[in-house]
Amino acid sequence: MSVANNIHKSKVTTHVLQEMKLKGNKIAMLTAYDFSFAKILDSSGIDVILVGDSASNVMAGFSSTLPITLNDMIYHASSVVRGVNRPMVVVDLPFGTYQGNSKEALLSAIRIMKESGANAVKMEGGEEILESVKRIISAGIPVMGHLGLTPQSIHKFGTYIVRATEDGEAAQLRKDALLLEEAGCFSLILEKIPAQLAGEVTKSVRIPVIGIGAGNQVDGQVLVLHDMLGITQDFSPRFLRRYHNLREEIMGSVEAYIKDVKTGDFPNEREQY
Ligand code: KIV
């Protein structure tokens, strides 16, 4: 059993995350989109699994998160849920399923919870989505907010550069964080913003703040699994620490298999009936 598993053996809930913030225990979160990886993450002791709409990029090969559908997210989320016991499973509400109006947002969140068995949803945005956030929370569904670089708005931003470096945007982000906390969000993601601002926001709210490219003064970190394992290679932002070069390892294994098949070495005597 891993060290992480010894800290909290029971199911990670919103209360557990809150307690971790109070005790100063950092929260470790990674994305997963399928049963097999989710099972490995569970055994490794991860606290939270995000079924991110980054599945649109890493699983489906789109160049943005915009095309992925609610049905796609439910498929990925239910696969992940079947693979885990301990971590909390949070699912992104995909683009176009909550921005229209709060009733549509609630129906989308209900479908995710009912059809996937996940524990919470994540939504990008602040003040502009507040009504939807409140309506979803009032139905008993935990919501994780997401501020800073919000990839569903990439066509508005025009680029993936660091957000909230200007005073106006930083002030709006501080305000949005407080509004989301007041609305009842159990946690916030801050993506690609200056570390100092992220630290300030983390101190200003009681709920746990998880960062990605937001420095180390936050309550936890999240990375995209395929990026940190080195399966994807064409994405190398400064904040990404690669723990492995899995692409190279997989290629080596597949090349060896091809060679064994072509030379007739596989299968051998012991590998047949
Ligand atoms: O979709 C995703 O993977 C995310 C993380 C980058 C936070 O939203």
Side-chain angles (χ1 to χ4, degrees):
M1 183 176 283
S2 70
V3 175
N5 255 349
N6 287 329
I7 296 170
H8 259 299
K9 285 185 194 154
S10 52
K11 175 78 187 170
V12 178
T13 62
T14 55
H15 287 102
V16 169
L17 295 180
Q18 184 63 61
E19 195 193 333
M20 288 174 80
K21 171 159 181 145
L22 285 173
K23 290 184 176 163
N25 294 335
K26 296 272 187 182
I27 298 163
M29 176 168 171
L30 282 171
T31 64
Y33 318 102
D34 69 291
F35 171 81
S36 301
F37 268 123
K39 218 164 147 57
I40 297 172
L41 296 194
D42 186 17
S43 304
S44 311
I46 201 79
D47 299 312
V48 184
I49 293 183
L50 172 65
V51 184
D53 57 1
S54 49
S56 182
N57 308 94
V58 294
M59 300 304 285
F62 289 113
S63 61
S64 80
T65 58
L66 274 67
I68 201 160
T69 66
L70 191 55
N71 283 343
D72 294 335
M73 290 305 294
I74 290 168
Y75 167 77
H76 287 298
S78 56
S79 308
V80 165
V81 167
R82 285 191 288 275
V84 307
N85 290 307
R86 181 183 168 276
M88 168 184 269
V89 178
V90 182
V91 184
D92 261 326
L93 277 183
F95 177 69
T97 67
Y98 63 98
Q99 292 90 348
N101 61 63
S102 65
K103 184 175 175 197
E104 188 194 14
L106 175 61
L107 294 178
S108 304
I110 287 176
R111 274 203 64 202
I112 287 193
M113 299 299 282
K114 225 178 165 67
E115 296 177 40
S116 76
N119 308 120
V121 297
K122 175 165 86 60
M123 299 164 72
E124 295 184 6
E127 204 165 6
E128 71 282 10
I129 58 157
L130 215 54
E131 194 189 319
S132 298
V133 169
K134 285 182 184 163
R135 194 155 176 186
I136 292 171
I137 293 171
S138 70
I141 301 172
V143 174
M144 177 181 271
H146 183 157
L147 298 170
L149 177 64
T150 47
Q152 292 179 11
S153 303
I154 187 58
H155 295 300
K156 184 176 91 183
F157 296 149
T159 140
Y160 286 98
I161 57 167
V162 183
R163 304 304 314 176
T165 51
E166 310 272 324
D167 289 350
E169 197 178 333
Q172 183 64 46
L173 191 141
R174 285 189 199 94
K175 184 179 172 198
D176 284 340
L178 293 174
L179 287 171
L180 289 172
E181 176 182 43
E182 208 175 281
C185 282
F186 72 94
S187 173
L188 292 179
I189 295 267
L190 295 180
E191 181 165 353
K192 216 169 178 185
I193 63 168
Q196 196 187 327
L197 175 62
E200 243 181 76
V201 171
T202 302
K203 284 198 191 85
S204 76
V205 294
R206 289 176 305 273
I207 55 176
V209 175
I210 318 267
I212 172 164
N216 64 6
Q217 299 165 49
V218 289
D219 302 308
Q221 299 292 330
V222 59
L223 284 176
V224 169
L225 183 68
H226 291 61
D227 295 337
M228 62 85 81
L229 289 179
I231 296 175
T232 50
Q233 299 271 334
D234 43 2
F235 179 68
S236 290
R238 174 166 159 179
F239 67 76
L240 174 61
R241 185 179 291 183
R242 280 195 211 286
Y243 287 83
H244 209 62
N245 191 343
L246 205 49
R247 182 177 187 275
E248 207 162 272
E249 296 231 354
I250 293 171
M251 278 184 66
S253 304
V254 173
E255 282 163 11
Y257 167 75
I258 293 170
K259 182 170 149 276
D260 291 350
V261 170
K262 304 267 183 199
T263 59
D265 179 72
F266 175 77
N268 63 25
E269 290 284 301
R270 283 169 285 111
E271 292 161 335
Q272 58 195 356
Y273 301 97

